[in-house]
Amino acid sequence: GPDTGFDASHDRPESQGLSGLLDAMDSTGPLPKLVLYSLNPKDYYPLATLMGCHQGGREAHETAVPGRTQLGSAWWFLDHRDGMEEQLRLFASTSALANFIGMLTDSRSFLSYPRHEYFRRILCNLVGGWVENGEFPADRALLGEIIEGISFKNAERWFRP
């Protein structure tokens, strides 16, 4: 609502309905954990800022869940280097990257699993670049926790009931 501090950028046709749905769900009880995906990178910023408005933990009936609402990983037309880097940079700019649940697979075949290794290499290269530029702490233990979390542990925690 107005003057509540939950502002989001939007692309009206896409965001208005989703915002209303999330608000209605959020008003009636705890919002379920939710991953918002898009096949169009133009939607990343509106989705990422909208998800920030619905992280939970605001009401007495809610329990805070780190990264309750997630911007889904780049996939389908976007699961290539540029698409993954764009999604990761935007997620890091609008949320806590350390809470990201990482890459998904719609695995219908064993051959799709190398996509996860490709994602991890892109993630490490991107974060490593931030470290080299002094934009991220050069703390090996912290970096290990973040990368391990995004690569596996965050999803394991997030999908647990």
Side-chain angles (χ1 to χ4, degrees):
D3 302 321
T4 58
F6 299 101
D7 295 328
S9 67
H10 66 85
D11 178 358
R12 187 167 298 268
E14 315 269 325
S15 302
Q16 192 167 17
L18 180 58
S19 178
L21 174 65
L22 293 176
D23 188 52
M25 291 170 67
D26 217 2
S27 299
T28 60
L31 185 69
K33 291 182 264 184
L34 184 65
V35 182
L36 303 174
Y37 288 97
S38 178
L39 295 178
N40 190 335
K42 79 166 186 58
D43 299 329
Y44 283 167
Y45 204 85
L47 289 176
T49 58
L50 184 58
M51 75 180 201
C53 299
H54 297 281
Q55 287 300 326
R58 294 189 319 248
E59 303 296 328
H61 65 268
E62 293 182 277
T63 302
V65 173
R68 175 183 296 273
T69 308
Q70 296 265 330
L71 177 63
S73 60
W75 68 295
W76 205 261
F77 305 114
L78 305 170
D79 67 351
H80 49 76
R81 182 180 177 174
D82 291 342
M84 289 181 198
E85 285 181 351
E86 179 181 1
Q87 188 274 348
L88 287 165
R89 277 192 302 273
L90 191 110
F91 193 107
S93 296
T94 59
S95 189
L97 181 63
N99 291 331
F100 183 38
I101 58 172
M103 186 60 163
L104 86 150
T105 185
D106 56 352
S107 293
R108 292 179 290 268
S109 80
F110 183 71
L111 296 175
S112 69
Y113 287 106
R115 166 184 325 168
H116 292 272
E117 177 62 21
Y118 185 54
F119 168 81
R120 286 188 291 272
R121 289 172 184 253
I122 290 168
L123 171 66
C124 290
N125 187 57
L126 188 64
V127 171
W130 292 337
V131 171
E132 286 178 356
N133 291 337
E135 300 170 279
F136 217 78
D139 179 333
R140 289 183 69 90
L142 175 63
L143 293 169
E145 283 180 37
I146 291 170
I147 298 300
E148 188 176 76
I150 295 169
S151 297
F152 173 75
K153 289 187 175 186
N154 294 348
E156 180 183 51
R157 277 190 300 269
W158 197 85
F159 286 105
R160 211 178 284 145

